[in-house]
Amino acid sequence: MSFAYYSSGERDEETGEYILPETRAREQSKAKRQGERVDGDQSNATAPVVYPPEFDEQFFRDRQNEAKSNSRVYDWLRYMQYMNSIRAMYPFVAYKFYAKYAKDINSLKLPDYIMKVDRTQNGEILASNLDGAERTMIAQFARNRREVQTCINRYKRLERLQNYGVKAWLMYYTLYDTLEIPLKNSLRFKAVYENLNQDEAVDQLRIYRGCKIMSRNFRVHLPKNLMASKGHYLYQDVDISKIYDEIIASIGGMTAEECQEILTNIRPKITQLKEQDKEMKAIIDFYHYFDDLKRTIYEINRLGADWQENGRRQTFLDSSYGDNVDVYLRGEKYKEFCTKILPVCKKYDQIFVRDVERVLEELQYALSENETAHTLSRLG
């Protein structure tokens, strides 16, 4: 691309300011780096896409040039490689994510660098490249016994870049892994919640049920060690729950923070319901114990597998419940409780029935599969 100037300069049409050729050249060079179309440039009718400043390669090159040691030069080289990997992956997974989960991707007014991304790329290759860049950067700092997160925290731009990296991975795992569960449930619950009447008893039950299940979704699928458990140690100190809330909010879903606020507000009404109606109290108790019901099922299966492998006596004792608490017997009591409340649920809403039936099915399977192991473990 070339520009012709008078040797003495030219006048800006908007401001009337007289600009020397070298000043105009610097402005055009900067605009070109930022992906903006320069006034007077007729050689390219389509303006290049504009990326956020976190993805400006020149920033990293400038820091390299300013570095006073070879190790710092390589630090910034690794930062730049990391940035380039995020710049490649984030727009790709962001487009895929919004195209799949947003009601209308065009209504979101996403930036061009997302909307115009090459959609034929291979997501697994992009993910592998980012994973490699993260590991290389961690290794670079580890050579001199430095913590990469400490170095990132010195620069707000790098902190923001890191958040883009987290977003890229969270969107990636939502598209291709179990993180889709809290996302879909947050969208469904938000749509249902907006049409519920908080003064109606059954609607209060529905709200309480949604909050308890949503809270569990977030705890199970978004644990604090999620990124480290998947090998992304660069993000082990980052609060991923807040970033995932941002992603959910961007498509109109219910965030974990909103869910907790709603649960806090509905609790007094739920307490009152329990005192006034024994049948509703039974359903409320089911959702109150929902987390422990799921945990009990998990523990029965886990301890049963442990007995199969090791054959230890009293395998099914779980000290986390107290001294000598038999988790298998605990499961049998829960089965009795769920069987008893199932007819009650049918009076109010089929959704309560489905929840209880699913738990009952899982409980019955766990108890049946591990009955022999439990009996033999007690005999010693």
Side-chain angles (χ1 to χ4, degrees), residues 196-204 269:
L196 294 178
N197 183 350
Q198 296 196 29
D199 294 324
E200 292 285 339
V202 177
D203 278 359
Q204 290 168 9
K269 295 179 179 180

Side-chain angles (χ1 to χ4, degrees), residues 10 17 30 85-86 96 124 141 147 173 185 193 236 239 327 349 351 366:
E10 62 177 2
E17 180 185 1
K30 180 180 178 182
S85 296
I86 297 174
K96 295 284 186 182
E124 291 184 4
F141 286 88
E147 291 289 338
Y173 288 123
N185 284 342
Y193 174 75
Q236 59 187 351
D239 187 348
V327 71
D349 193 328
I351 198 167

Side-chain angles (χ1 to χ4, degrees), residues 137-241:
M137 189 165 69
I138 291 173
Q140 165 64 24
F141 286 88
R143 287 189 184 97
N144 296 316
R145 297 182 180 179
R146 293 171 299 160
E147 291 289 338
V148 65
Q149 189 61 49
T150 301
C151 299
I152 287 176
N153 291 343
R154 293 175 186 167
Y155 299 89
K156 288 296 181 183
R157 184 184 294 243
L158 294 182
E159 285 186 16
R160 294 192 298 269
L161 177 66
Q162 187 181 46
N163 285 343
Y164 275 110
V166 174
K167 281 186 178 181
W169 284 120
L170 291 177
M171 288 180 169
Y172 179 83
Y173 288 123
T174 300
L175 286 163
Y176 305 114
D177 206 345
T178 56
L179 283 186
E180 186 177 46
I181 293 172
L183 180 80
K184 281 190 170 182
N185 284 342
S186 73
L187 290 169
R188 291 192 192 104
F189 185 39
K190 184 68 172 283
V192 169
Y193 174 75
E194 290 175 345
N195 292 302
L196 294 178
N197 183 350
Q198 296 196 29
D199 294 324
E200 292 285 339
V202 177
D203 278 359
Q204 290 168 9
L205 262 177
R206 293 183 181 116
I207 292 170
Y208 183 69
R209 175 240 178 217
C211 286
K212 295 295 285 186
I213 291 178
M214 278 293 302
S215 296
R216 175 179 166 77
N217 282 168
F218 283 114
R219 281 196 303 275
V220 170
H221 298 290
L222 283 164
K224 291 182 178 180
N225 69 337
L226 173 69
M227 300 307 285
S229 71
K230 293 183 178 294
H232 307 300
Y233 299 102
L234 181 62
Y235 312 107
Q236 59 187 351
D237 298 323
V238 178
D239 187 348
I240 60 170
S241 62

Side-chain angles (χ1 to χ4, degrees), residues 45-293:
T46 303
V49 296
V50 180
Y51 284 89
E54 290 76 19
F55 298 129
D56 181 9
E57 195 170 280
Q58 191 60 44
F59 169 82
F60 296 87
R61 294 194 184 281
D62 289 343
R63 300 293 85 73
Q64 276 186 283
N65 293 334
E66 295 166 0
K68 296 180 180 179
S69 66
N70 284 338
S71 64
R72 291 298 289 157
V73 170
Y74 278 102
D75 288 352
W76 285 102
L77 175 63
R78 301 309 181 206
Y79 282 138
M80 184 165 65
Q81 291 171 339
Y82 172 60
M83 177 275 294
N84 281 326
S85 296
I86 297 174
R87 189 171 67 178
M89 180 175 169
Y90 173 69
F92 176 80
V93 294
Y95 181 86
K96 295 284 186 182
F97 175 88
Y98 289 116
K100 182 174 182 178
Y101 298 111
K103 290 181 180 178
D104 178 12
I105 189 172
N106 294 312
S107 68
L108 298 178
K109 297 181 180 178
L110 297 170
D112 281 350
Y113 75 92
I114 292 177
M115 294 300 290
K116 294 183 179 180
V117 71
D118 179 3
R119 301 164 203 171
T120 65
Q121 297 177 90
N122 187 311
E124 291 184 4
I125 292 176
L126 294 175
S128 177
N129 290 342
L130 177 53
D131 182 62
E134 292 169 2
R135 294 176 186 275
T136 300
M137 189 165 69
I138 291 173
Q140 165 64 24
F141 286 88
R143 287 189 184 97
N144 296 316
R145 297 182 180 179
R146 293 171 299 160
E147 291 289 338
V148 65
Q149 189 61 49
T150 301
C151 299
I152 287 176
N153 291 343
R154 293 175 186 167
Y155 299 89
K156 288 296 181 183
R157 184 184 294 243
L158 294 182
E159 285 186 16
R160 294 192 298 269
L161 177 66
Q162 187 181 46
N163 285 343
Y164 275 110
V166 174
K167 281 186 178 181
W169 284 120
L170 291 177
M171 288 180 169
Y172 179 83
Y173 288 123
T174 300
L175 286 163
Y176 305 114
D177 206 345
T178 56
L179 283 186
E180 186 177 46
I181 293 172
L183 180 80
K184 281 190 170 182
N185 284 342
S186 73
L187 290 169
R188 291 192 192 104
F189 185 39
K190 184 68 172 283
V192 169
Y193 174 75
E194 290 175 345
N195 292 302
L196 294 178
N197 183 350
Q198 296 196 29
D199 294 324
E200 292 285 339
V202 177
D203 278 359
Q204 290 168 9
L205 262 177
R206 293 183 181 116
I207 292 170
Y208 183 69
R209 175 240 178 217
C211 286
K212 295 295 285 186
I213 291 178
M214 278 293 302
S215 296
R216 175 179 166 77
N217 282 168
F218 283 114
R219 281 196 303 275
V220 170
H221 298 290
L222 283 164
K224 291 182 178 180
N225 69 337
L226 173 69
M227 300 307 285
S229 71
K230 293 183 178 294
H232 307 300
Y233 299 102
L234 181 62
Y235 312 107
Q236 59 187 351
D237 298 323
V238 178
D239 187 348
I240 60 170
S241 62
K242 288 185 177 180
I243 297 176
Y244 202 64
D245 265 4
E246 290 177 16
I247 294 172
I248 286 177
S250 70
I251 54 173
M254 182 174 291
T255 66
E257 185 177 357
E258 287 176 315
C259 183
Q260 286 306 308
E261 289 177 0
I262 293 168
L263 185 57
T264 299
N265 293 333
I266 203 70
R267 272 200 172 113
K269 295 179 179 180
I270 293 297
T271 300
Q272 191 174 12
L273 262 185
K274 288 181 70 172
E275 295 171 352
Q276 295 174 346
D277 192 309
K278 289 185 178 180
E279 287 189 338
M280 286 194 170
K281 178 184 182 302
I283 301 174
I284 292 168
D285 285 343
F286 171 78
Y287 290 109
H288 176 72
Y289 296 129
F290 190 78
D291 246 351
D292 191 56
L293 272 160

